[in-house]
Amino acid sequence: MLKELNTNQDWLRKGSDRILIAGPCSAESEQQVMETSAGIAAVNPNAIFRAGVWKPRTRPGLFEGRGEPALQWLADAKSKTGLRLATEVAIPKHVELALKYDIDVLWVGARTTVNPFMVQELAESLKGVDIPVMVKNPIHPDLQLWIGGLERFNKAGISKLAAIHRGFYTFEHSEYRNAPRWELVYELKSLYPALPIICDVSHIAGTTSLLNMVAQQAIDLNLDGLMIETHCDPSVALSDAQQQITPEKLRELLALLIARNPSFTEEVIVNRMSGIRNKIDELDRLLMKTLGDRMELAKEIGELKKEYNVSILQLDRWKEVIENCMQKAEQAGLYKEFVRNIFIQIHDESIRIQSTILTAKKQEVIGH
Ligand code: PEP
Ligand code: MN
């Protein structure tokens, strides 16, 4: 893994401190591109105008983008509004055409990031070209694959990089179209503090009613930009109609967002914070101690199971533990799902520890 991604952030910021990337899911017609870009330029003249020209659709026969003619509409929109342009590229041919029409920023979609061969081909097609590239997270929550995509471009000489967080596909029911899994964003940020991270609010939300909440969360995490799908008339959009908003709604959404300071500055508050943080550190120490003690007891049980050759998983006991915890969680005012998830992890770890103990027995027998 590259220790440092060589990241130059100058391209990202132009006037405003947090970049806005707005535009339709797909460029559909000249009129739609011109009207939407004019509306966005009126909201924020420093925005980057996004539009998909080649659309990676799940099923064949759906609208797959207008291709090269749409690049001309984008170029016209740029000369009219002065907005910079961004589009998705998935194969070297797309790169060649995007460069031909002077697209300013390229992005790699979630369905491309999953495939290192494709990413490598794209990176190689950009050797010697000085253009910003934004890499969306892969569809599934694999941080290494996401980082790998960024590294491939970096190794090909691209230093103007950004990551786009667009959420992750999940089988479980979720209120989001793509679960945000913010903890992965934290992890990426802590591994590469200089790498700009942009939140693709629309593909996480999947519906206009969640846009504001997701955008605010991105700001609360101090991410570097927001990507919001914007269409002059979302009701007739040919892709992602249910998550797009008009430029006017975009203006309202942005106005409602609450800016946050990156850190505490006033001394009194800093002191109060460190008092609270000390208490948290102490509780964390106790939590670790308690977990350690609990696992020691799990080991003792493992030894007993080994001695009497009893299976590890005792369903009735597990049910009792989880029901007991659910009750206590309620009394303690804790969110039940949160406690359930923690106990599933704790139980998994007990089973792992006990399996090692019982496997040791098997090996002894085999050894004899
Ligand atoms: C898009 O940005 O319209 C798109 C197709 O996104 P993703 O690759 O995140 O699905
Ligand atoms: Mn889309």
Side-chain angles (χ1 to χ4, degrees):
M1 196 201 285
L2 287 184
K3 264 226 194 75
E4 280 292 329
L5 285 169
N6 177 2
T7 45
N8 166 345
Q9 293 200 26
D10 299 346
W11 64 277
L12 197 62
R13 302 183 189 282
K14 193 179 161 201
S16 61
D17 57 352
R18 181 173 278 114
I19 195 72
L20 170 69
I21 305 177
C25 178
S26 311
E28 298 166 1
S29 68
E30 183 173 5
Q31 191 263 342
Q32 174 241 19
V33 167
M34 297 319 270
E35 195 178 330
T36 309
S37 58
I40 290 167
V43 172
N44 181 347
N46 294 320
I48 295 179
F49 183 65
R50 64 144 283 158
V53 165
W54 301 280
K55 299 304 296 178
R57 304 309 299 274
T58 307
R59 307 280 301 269
L62 297 172
F63 172 64
E64 291 186 333
R66 299 286 188 218
E68 188 172 353
L71 290 169
Q72 186 57 56
W73 308 332
L74 294 187
D76 294 344
K78 179 169 157 178
S79 36
K80 266 240 164 81
T81 62
L83 294 178
R84 290 170 293 166
L85 302 171
T87 201
E88 174 176 348
V89 289
I91 53 174
K93 182 76 190 160
H94 296 164
V95 170
E96 186 194 314
L97 287 169
L99 295 177
K100 178 173 156 196
Y101 287 86
D102 219 10
I103 299 292
D104 302 275
V105 181
L106 304 177
W107 88 78
V108 176
R111 290 159 194 77
T112 305
T113 312
V114 291
N115 187 337
F117 289 124
M118 287 171 81
V119 175
Q120 188 59 35
E121 281 203 24
L122 285 175
E124 274 162 32
S125 73
L126 280 168
K127 273 204 174 132
V129 184
D130 180 27
I131 190 168
V133 176
M134 309 188 290
V135 179
K136 288 203 179 196
N137 63 257
I139 293 178
H140 59 298
D142 185 339
L143 184 59
Q144 292 307 314
L145 199 54
W146 193 4
I147 293 172
L150 290 155
E151 283 175 329
R152 287 179 197 278
F153 286 101
N154 211 208
K155 283 188 166 182
I158 301 286
S159 66
K160 295 171 181 164
L161 279 171
I164 302 180
H165 168 229
R166 49 80 79 194
F168 302 92
Y169 177 81
T170 163
F171 267 121
E172 288 149 28
H173 173 74
S174 161
E175 61 182 315
Y176 303 101
R177 176 175 176 193
N178 289 294
R181 301 282 306 261
W182 298 104
E183 75 279 11
L184 293 170
V185 180
Y186 276 139
E187 211 174 322
L188 184 63
K189 191 99 199 139
S190 55
L191 286 170
Y192 299 105
L195 173 74
I197 303 180
I198 287 155
C199 178
D200 175 347
V201 177
S202 307
H203 288 89
I204 293 176
T207 166
T208 54
S209 59
L210 289 178
L211 292 175
N212 202 294
M213 183 183 80
V214 176
Q216 187 63 56
Q217 272 175 311
I219 286 176
D220 292 348
L221 290 183
N222 202 22
L223 299 193
D224 304 273
L226 301 176
M227 182 185 257
I228 302 177
E229 285 189 338
T230 309
H231 190 297
C232 55
D233 185 359
S235 68
V236 297
L238 298 178
S239 58
D240 287 352
Q242 58 308 340
Q243 69 193 30
Q244 303 202 61
I245 50 173
T246 60
E248 227 12 78
K249 286 267 174 243
L250 176 69
R251 185 197 295 281
E252 286 168 25
L253 185 150
L254 295 174
L256 282 174
L257 296 176
I258 303 161
R260 310 279 189 210
N261 298 320
S263 57
F264 294 99
T265 43
E266 273 176 66
E267 202 181 325
V268 197
I269 312 283
V270 171
N271 290 342
R272 246 177 79 192
M273 271 301 289
S274 66
I276 300 174
R277 282 181 173 152
N278 286 344
K279 284 187 195 156
I280 286 186
D281 289 348
E282 175 54 14
L283 287 178
D284 283 349
R285 193 189 62 75
L286 285 174
L287 270 176
M288 287 312 136
K289 167 93 178 63
T290 308
L291 275 177
D293 290 352
R294 196 187 190 287
M295 291 307 160
E296 280 307 314
L297 293 174
K299 270 186 208 159
E300 259 180 58
I301 292 183
E303 296 295 346
L304 268 178
K305 285 178 181 166
K306 170 182 167 180
E307 198 175 329
Y308 293 96
N309 202 27
V310 171
S311 70
I312 296 176
L313 184 60
Q314 297 289 314
L315 265 184
D316 287 348
R317 171 62 186 156
W318 167 232
K319 265 176 131 176
E320 186 186 312
V321 168
I322 201 83
E323 272 163 24
N324 201 351
C325 287
M326 288 298 98
Q327 249 184 29
K328 294 212 171 89
E330 196 150 35
Q331 287 158 9
L334 290 166
Y335 179 49
K336 277 187 172 181
E337 267 321 288
F338 160 70
V339 175
R340 183 191 300 278
N341 287 336
I342 290 181
F343 271 84
I344 287 174
Q345 296 295 326
I346 291 178
H347 187 241
D348 276 359
E349 178 61 4
S350 299
I351 287 184
R352 191 192 63 79
I353 290 175
Q354 294 185 13
S355 299
T356 354
I357 294 171
L358 267 82
T359 323
K361 174 182 178 180
K362 262 195 228 138
Q363 276 157 0
E364 276 160 34
V365 173
I366 293 165
H368 273 102

